[in-house]
Structure formats: C-alpha cells, structure tokens
C-alpha cells in the first residue's frame, strides 16, 4: 500500500497507491473477517509483500464510518500502477497513481469540502514502495472469510514519528497499513486497511480496500489530464 500526503495512499499502487489501494453505492458491508491461524516461527518467516510490475484486479473501496462502499480497480503496467475508487455516479471518486517515478493523487468527489487539485510527490516509484513493504512486520497467517475463503499472510506497515529508542517516549503513528497477501504468492494482494493522515478526508482516518480478483496480467494505467501538467515539472 503507498501513501500520498496530505491526501491519501496508493500501497497506493497500492497504493499506490499505494496510491497506494477498494461494489455499489450501497451502505458499506463489513470487511472480510480474518480468522487467526498459528503464526510462523521466526525460522519460517515468509517473504514480505511485493507489488508486481504487471497486474489487474477489481474489488471494493470501503469507508465504513461514512457508510460508503464503491467499486474499486487496481492495475499495474511496466512498474506504473493506478488505483481508482468510485466514479461520477458514486459519492466518492478518486485515483492514485505511481507513474514514471512519481506518486499522484486526484480526488474528484468526496463528502464535504476537499481539495480537487492533483498533487504529485516526485521520487516515489515501485522500487520505493517495495522497499517500504520490505520493512513490514509479520502478524501471522490467517483466513479471510468472505465470498471465498482465502489463506493470507497478514503484515503491518507503519510510519511512527519521531523516531525514538525503546522506552517511555512520546510517539505518534503517522500512517499505518495492514496488508493481506496470498500465502502462496506475496505479489497477490487481497485486502488492505489504511489508517492515518493519508486518509485525511475521512473523519475516522481509516479506509479499506478489498480485492475480488487479482490477476498477474498487464493492466491499464492512465495519468489524468489534470495531472499531466505536473508531470512536466
């Protein structure tokens, strides 16, 4: 999952995305409930999540405190990737991209006053996203119970400030993400919970993406016209 500050993530590609990452405009349904299974021992630690260069998937984006669930797509091609939630007919509509080494976010619709300008963070691409995922902490192996039961590895990614040594120090969780990837393929992402300032528009600062499909075939990544001018700077 990739984070766009001050607006939202793409892990986000995935964010990005990772713009970084999420159905219909009906009230949000509950997120798939993980069932704990015995965790791996340290000697059998699985490899951390890694977003592939090429993929395409569909699912839902869930903002539970607003009662909103909208269609979600996440696609990657040649290392670029794009998340799109909602659309013109839905109460929310945004896109996050990792595109040619930069992270973009553009919010078309969201309840309440929000910025509708495209924002860009240069120097953030697939390599930087996967570097961040490499530092994820393994939570355990679980089963996501939904329309189909999926065996996943649950990982926690986070940014805490300021950095302090162990002990009684004031720390604030700036951005956190729970990432659920297939146990047999760390490049297949089934669910992501994002919490923190990357979800600035949501009152509770938390949003879910759940994938219904995730295929390792090249997708379509389209930089919005409103962001094209930023790409030239």
């Amino acid at each position: 999952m990739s984070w766009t500050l001050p607006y939202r993530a793409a892990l986000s590609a995935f964010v990005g995305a990772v713009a970084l990452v999420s159905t219909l405009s009906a009230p949000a349904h509950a997120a798939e409930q993980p069932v704990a299974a015995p965790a791996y021992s340290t000697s059998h630690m699985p490899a951390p999540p890694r977003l592939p260069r090429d993929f395409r998937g569909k699912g839902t984006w869930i903002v539970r405190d607003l009662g909103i669930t909208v269609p979600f797509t996440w696609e990657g091609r040649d290392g670029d990737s794009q998340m799109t939630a909602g659309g013109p007919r839905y109460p929310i509509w945004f896109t996050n991209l990792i595109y040619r080494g930069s992270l973009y976010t553009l919010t078309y619709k969201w309840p309440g006053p929000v910025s509708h300008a495209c924002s860009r963070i240069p120097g953030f691409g697939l390599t930087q996203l996967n570097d961040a995922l490499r530092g994820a902490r393994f939570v355990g192996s679980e089963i996501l119970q939904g329309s189909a039961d999926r065996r996943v590895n649950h990982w926690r990614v986070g940014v805490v400030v300021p950095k302090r040594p162990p002990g009684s120090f004031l720390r604030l969780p700036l951005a956190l993400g729970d990432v659920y990837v297939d146990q047999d393929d760390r490049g297949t992402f089934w669910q992501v919970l994002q919490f923190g300032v990357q979800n600035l528009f949501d009152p509770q600062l938390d949003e879910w993406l759940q994938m219904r499909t995730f295929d390792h075939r090249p997708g379509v990544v389209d930089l919005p016209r409103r962001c094209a001018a930023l790409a030239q700077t």
Side-chain angles (χ1 to χ4, degrees):
M1 256 141 249
S2 60
W3 292 302
T4 301
L5 301 178
Y7 302 122
R8 61 172 10 85
L11 199 204
S12 109
F14 172 27
V15 158
V18 285
L20 148 256
V21 287
S22 126
T23 173
L24 302 173
S25 58
H29 59 75
E32 295 181 353
Q33 297 301 311
V35 177
Y40 290 91
S41 67
T42 305
S43 61
H44 294 88
M45 185 75 67
R50 183 175 180 83
L51 193 72
R53 292 181 59 82
D54 298 304
F55 63 93
R56 59 174 64 183
K58 295 181 179 180
T60 56
W61 187 270
I62 304 168
V63 189
R64 299 175 71 179
D65 59 310
L66 296 182
I68 293 174
T69 298
V70 297
F72 175 76
T73 61
W74 191 5
E75 305 188 48
R77 188 178 188 90
D78 295 331
D80 293 335
S81 60
Q82 182 170 13
M83 293 177 164
T84 303
R89 297 184 294 113
Y90 297 97
I92 64 174
W93 179 20
F94 68 83
T95 186
N96 295 328
L97 301 96
I98 288 179
Y99 186 79
R100 298 182 182 178
S102 290
L103 182 63
Y104 296 85
T105 188
L106 175 58
T107 300
Y108 300 99
K109 292 176 65 178
W110 192 274
V114 300
S115 170
H116 298 289
C118 182
S119 65
R120 174 189 177 218
I121 298 178
F124 190 92
L126 180 63
T127 298
Q128 287 74 26
L129 173 61
N130 282 328
D131 284 346
L133 291 173
R134 190 179 300 124
R137 280 85 68 196
F138 182 55
V139 177
S141 57
E142 300 174 357
I143 299 173
L144 290 179
Q145 294 181 313
S147 56
D149 289 352
R150 293 190 173 95
R151 296 183 177 275
V152 296
N153 288 328
H154 177 182
W155 297 83
R156 166 64 61 90
V157 187
V159 178
V160 177
V161 293
K163 289 191 176 298
R164 292 286 188 268
S168 180
F169 298 100
L170 179 64
R171 303 176 180 85
L172 297 175
L174 185 67
L176 298 174
D178 283 80
V179 183
Y180 301 80
V181 296
D182 197 282
Q183 288 184 9
D184 295 325
D185 183 356
R186 62 174 176 153
T188 296
F189 289 67
W190 289 122
Q191 181 168 280
V192 177
L193 166 65
Q194 302 180 98
F195 177 83
V197 296
Q198 76 272 15
N199 306 98
L200 186 63
F201 294 162
D202 177 46
Q204 295 298 321
L205 299 178
D206 64 335
E207 300 170 35
W208 285 92
L209 69 86
Q210 294 178 350
M211 305 306 296
R212 186 172 60 255
T213 65
F214 198 100
D215 300 321
H216 290 258
R217 295 179 294 140
V220 176
V221 178
D222 184 19
L223 185 70
R225 186 176 304 175
R226 203 180 300 181
C227 300
L230 294 176
Q232 308 301 321
T233 60

